[in-house]
Amino acid sequence: MSVFYVPSTNLIGRGVVNEIGPYIKELGLNKALLVTDEFIAKSDILAKVSAPLKDANIDYVVFSQVEPNPTVKNCEDGLAVLKENQCDFIISVGGGSPQDCASCISVLATNDMKVQELEGLHKTSNKGLPVVAINTTAGTSAEITINYVITDEERKVKMVMVDKNSLATISVNDPELMLSKPKALTAATGMDALTHAVEALVTPGAYDLTKKLSMGAIELIKEYLPRAVENGEDIEAREAMVNAIFLGGMAFNNAGLGYVHSMAHQLGAVYKLPHGVCCAMLLPVVERENAKRVPAAFRDVAKALGMDVTGHSHEECADYAIAEIEKLSETVGIPKKLTELDIKEDEFDFEYLSKNAMIDACAPGNPFTPTLEETISFYKELF
């Protein structure tokens, strides 16, 4: 049996943020905690979101202290604001960080648990508060998935939570909210989306439906991500990337991820690096090893990336796929080495990060289980 999780209502397309009012009113909700970060709180995006809320007489209070890698404290502080203002639902506005923080606050509000107790698979008993997830970046797919990631700042570990009770009620993907985003952000989030699709395609948890979704996402990302990076005002490219993240999000939400994410989470937790950049740097490293174990799984990756696979061996397809991933990463300007991000090899705790990667919740989704020595070698490749 396969179980397919996706929000019950999904608004997709140009200008759809203007239509959110009636959908919220239908739910009979009264007051929202609007979860976002300081950048968005000071931008015109918040005005674009608040206008339809005011038109529909929907009350809200803003919590904008979400960090780029949301922490336990961010979630606890947001929950306190929610309770103090007697909010009965949540509106998240932003990329993966506000979306993840909102998911955590949602289930904390209905389950008597600490943030650290949420780590792992389906740890809660009660459905979280309704979440209206308004996405502003084309990458994480956090607005439509049951996955969220919170950093334990004391342990310097990213905790992965997979919980059906955290799934948003309404997702909103409006490409007009993604215009003018910086090139680096567009590239990083786009490569995160590619990582989702590739990992969801080669994981043992993939099945026919998720495979088709992953391939569709990869096709769109290859064609339109360079355009979106080159010209932030290219609305056609932005809209195509919205479609890509929706397809890829549905794929990995139901098939799972793998070791790229397991290792990327540790880099983000310890060094606070952009998650998408970490994924992009690790993707060819890990997939090159995956291809040695399950080369047949890479035929579809190669096909989605533009290869005519007819008459070619699985190994040839895998080589093509990994080369194309590296080429795309270079085209959109992803750093090749951690030293470019001011990370020094002689100060890098290979064993600590590797041990945490091995117990990350995404690790079981990989086609094979890397050893500690192999994981250390993967990190060393980044230098």
Side-chain angles (χ1 to χ4, degrees):
M1 183 182 74
S2 299
V3 180
F4 195 87
Y5 294 106
V6 68
S8 58
T9 302
N10 302 277
L11 308 182
I12 308 171
R14 305 179 192 183
V16 293
V17 72
N18 299 313
E19 311 300 325
I20 60 176
Y23 288 93
I24 295 173
K25 297 293 283 188
E26 285 179 1
L27 299 174
L29 302 169
N30 297 307
K31 188 175 184 179
L33 176 72
L34 195 155
V35 177
T36 190
D37 57 42
E38 291 185 355
F39 174 80
I40 290 178
K42 296 175 182 177
S43 73
D44 63 348
I45 291 177
L46 191 60
K48 293 177 181 179
V49 171
S50 61
L53 297 178
K54 292 175 181 176
D55 290 343
N57 295 314
I58 296 168
D59 195 13
Y60 64 93
V61 59
V62 176
F63 173 72
S64 61
Q65 277 71 60
V66 181
E67 298 177 37
N69 291 295
T71 64
V72 170
K73 186 178 187 302
N74 292 159
C75 300
E76 292 173 342
D77 290 349
L79 178 65
V81 175
L82 181 142
K83 290 182 175 179
E84 179 182 349
N85 290 274
Q86 298 182 319
C87 301
D88 60 347
F89 76 109
I90 298 170
I91 299 174
S92 52
V93 182
S97 296
Q99 305 299 342
D100 283 359
C101 189
S103 294
C104 188
I105 295 170
S106 167
V107 294
L108 286 175
T110 58
N111 295 271
D112 185 17
M113 300 174 70
K114 295 180 180 179
V115 177
Q116 293 85 345
E117 295 173 326
L118 301 172
E119 185 176 12
L121 304 178
H122 306 297
K123 291 297 181 70
T124 63
S125 301
N126 303 316
K127 173 68 178 171
L129 289 183
V131 175
V132 179
I134 302 175
N135 184 29
T136 65
T137 62
T140 69
S141 303
E143 74 283 356
I144 66 165
T145 66
I146 60 174
N147 301 31
Y148 62 98
V149 182
I150 304 298
T151 298
D152 184 334
E153 53 268 59
E154 292 186 5
R155 293 186 295 148
K156 292 186 178 180
V157 170
K158 276 196 171 186
M159 302 178 293
V160 179
M161 290 77 157
V162 182
D163 189 350
K164 60 186 178 183
N165 285 327
S166 72
L167 186 64
T169 303
I170 300 173
S171 79
V172 181
N173 270 295
D174 186 339
E176 292 182 359
L177 297 180
M178 302 173 191
L179 297 173
S180 302
K181 290 293 188 299
K183 289 187 176 185
L185 176 64
T186 302
T189 54
M191 291 302 294
D192 186 21
L194 179 67
T195 304
H196 292 150
V198 171
E199 287 203 295
L201 192 51
V202 304
T203 178
Y207 53 97
D208 287 348
L209 177 57
T210 63
K211 288 178 182 179
K212 294 295 185 183
L213 294 169
S214 292
M215 292 180 69
I218 293 170
E219 290 170 3
L220 288 169
I221 292 166
K222 182 184 178 183
E223 181 175 356
Y224 289 100
L225 177 58
R227 281 178 52 178
V229 171
E230 179 62 27
N231 177 12
E233 298 294 332
D234 187 337
I235 188 64
E236 184 181 12
R238 294 291 189 185
E239 191 164 33
M241 287 301 297
V242 160
N243 293 334
I245 63 168
F246 196 80
L247 292 171
M250 287 192 292
F252 86 80
N253 193 35
N254 296 284
L257 292 169
Y259 218 61
V260 176
H261 271 76
S262 300
M263 295 183 68
H265 289 153
Q266 315 319 315
L267 292 173
V270 175
Y271 297 103
K272 297 186 177 181
L273 298 176
H275 175 67
V277 172
C278 298
C279 284
M281 296 175 74
L282 284 161
L283 184 58
V285 174
V286 175
E287 298 313 328
R288 191 173 289 112
E289 295 303 313
N290 282 338
K292 294 176 183 177
R293 277 79 173 185
V294 289
F298 285 81
R299 291 191 74 85
D300 285 341
V301 181
K303 187 176 181 180
L305 286 168
M307 180 182 186
D308 181 358
V309 300
T310 306
H312 290 280
S313 69
H314 297 329
E315 290 75 14
E316 289 173 329
C317 292
D319 289 343
Y320 174 90
I322 293 163
E324 285 298 303
I325 289 169
E326 291 179 320
K327 187 187 302 182
L328 180 59
S329 188
E330 183 174 0
T331 297
V332 299
I334 298 294
K336 292 184 177 181
K337 301 294 180 182
L338 284 176
T339 48
E340 297 177 51
L341 302 172
D342 296 324
I343 308 298
K344 299 178 181 179
E345 186 172 3
D346 59 357
E347 297 175 359
F348 193 89
D349 194 336
F350 288 97
E351 186 165 334
Y352 177 76
L353 272 72
S354 297
K355 285 182 175 179
N356 285 334
M358 293 176 71
I359 60 174
D360 185 271
C362 293
N366 207 62
F368 80 104
T369 303
T371 64
L372 177 61
E373 291 72 22
E374 287 171 326
T375 307
I376 289 173
S377 72
F378 297 161
Y379 278 127
K380 285 189 174 181
E381 282 197 50
L382 300 187
F383 290 97

